[in-house]
Amino acid sequence: SALEEERDERSRPAGELRAARDIQMGMLPDPRSIEGLPRTLDIFALLEPAQEVGGDLYDAFMLDEDRLCFMIGDVSGKGVPASLFMALTKTLSKTLARREHVPVDELLRTVNGEISRENAAAMFVTAIIGIVDARSGEVELGNAGHNAPILLPSTASPRELDGAGGPPLCVDEEFPYARQRLKLHAGDTLLLITDGVSEAENHHQAHYGAARALECFAGARPADAAEACVKLHADVRKFTAGAPPSDDLT
C-alpha cells in the first residue's frame, strides 16, 4: 500500500503537466479555422514545446471583415512559469487588439505597459504583432526584440526584413515602439519564427541560424503556408539530427 501511494505521488505531477500542456495547446487557434478569414489570405502555424509546457505563443484573429491580426512571441525561460506568462501575454494582447483598434506600434506600447505591471517575476517576452489587410496586401508590423520576419517573395530571393525593432516587452515599460509597413503581393509569404528555429542545436552545439532558414527556401517557393511551416520544421530537424531540443520551436 505504501509503495502504491508513493507511485501515485510521483505520477501526479506528470499527469498535471500533461493536463497543463493540453490546456496550453488548446489556447492556440487552429490556423485552418480562423473565423471570417478572407479567401485571399492563407495562414498556418506550428508550435513544438521543448518540455511538457513552454513559453512560445502565436495567435491570429480577424479584427473586421478585411483585417487579420497575427502575433508570435517567446517568453523568457521554460516550463510552467513561462507557460503561465505566455497565457497572460496572449490573452491580454488579443483583448487589447480587439478593444483598442489602434496601429500596431501603439498596440505594442499598450501591451508592454499592461504586462509590465503584472510581472512580479520580472520575466520578458519577445514578440511581433502584425495586421494585414486582405484587400490591399498592406501589412503593419511591430517588433519587440523578436527574430526578424522572413519575406518569401513569389518572384525574388528570400530575405529578412529590417526595421521596427525595440526591446522585448517588460524591459522598458515606456519604450516608443515603431511601426514597419510592407505590401504583400499575390503569392508572397511572410514567415515568422521564434529562436527555437534559429538557435536549434545539433550534437556539435552548432546553431541552425537564420541563414539556413533562407537557404531552405532558396529554390521552389512553398505552395501554401502549411508547406512553408512543414518544410522549415523538417529542415531544422534534419540539421539537429536527433539532438534534444534546447527551446520551444514555433
Side-chain angles (χ1 to χ4, degrees), residues 13-227:
E16 291 175 349
L17 282 174
R18 284 194 297 270
R21 179 190 177 103
D22 292 342
I23 292 171
Q24 184 182 32
M25 298 302 287
M27 292 179 63
L28 302 172
D30 180 353
R32 298 192 185 279
S33 303
I34 305 297
E35 185 177 355
L37 185 70
R39 295 178 62 184
T40 51
L41 293 179
D42 178 41
I43 185 170
F44 194 75
L46 185 155
L47 189 154
E48 188 174 81
Q51 301 178 9
E52 287 86 351
V53 290
D56 275 12
L57 63 107
Y58 72 82
D59 208 348
F61 49 91
M62 298 302 296
L63 295 175
D64 53 40
E65 63 181 12
D66 297 310
R67 295 183 304 146
L68 173 76
C69 183
F70 55 91
M71 179 182 187
I72 189 170
D74 182 4
V75 177
S76 59
K78 301 179 182 67
V80 174
S83 72
L84 292 171
F85 209 67
M86 166 269 192
L88 169 66
T89 302
K90 177 187 175 299
T91 302
L92 185 60
S93 299
K94 184 173 185 176
T95 300
L96 291 172
R98 283 181 157 169
R99 188 184 73 191
E100 299 295 329
H101 299 289
V102 295
V104 291
D105 51 336
E106 295 182 34
L107 178 59
L108 266 181
R109 293 172 209 162
T110 304
V111 172
N112 184 37
E114 290 293 334
I115 62 174
S116 293
R117 285 193 287 273
E118 304 288 340
N119 188 18
M123 304 181 78
F124 63 86
V125 191
T126 69
I128 291 176
I129 298 179
I131 298 174
V132 55
D133 189 315
R135 296 171 302 175
S136 65
E138 298 287 344
V139 181
E140 295 181 1
L141 290 174
N143 190 334
H146 199 79
N147 296 66
I150 295 173
L151 180 63
L152 308 176
S154 59
T155 58
S157 300
R159 62 183 175 89
E160 283 190 305
L161 299 178
D162 301 318
L169 303 174
C170 300
V171 170
D172 182 347
E173 189 173 336
E174 299 181 355
F175 187 83
Y177 288 99
R179 178 177 20 161
Q180 182 180 19
R181 299 172 189 254
L182 67 146
K183 183 178 177 67
L184 294 177
H185 301 279
D188 290 353
T189 301
L190 184 64
L191 179 64
L192 309 179
I193 62 173
T194 61
D195 58 11
V197 173
S198 57
E199 297 180 8
E201 294 183 353
N202 60 17
H203 289 285
H204 305 289
Q205 295 185 317
H207 285 176
Y208 180 78
R212 282 190 177 86
L214 296 177
E215 291 172 8
C216 178
F217 297 101
R221 292 293 176 271
D224 54 26
E227 183 179 316

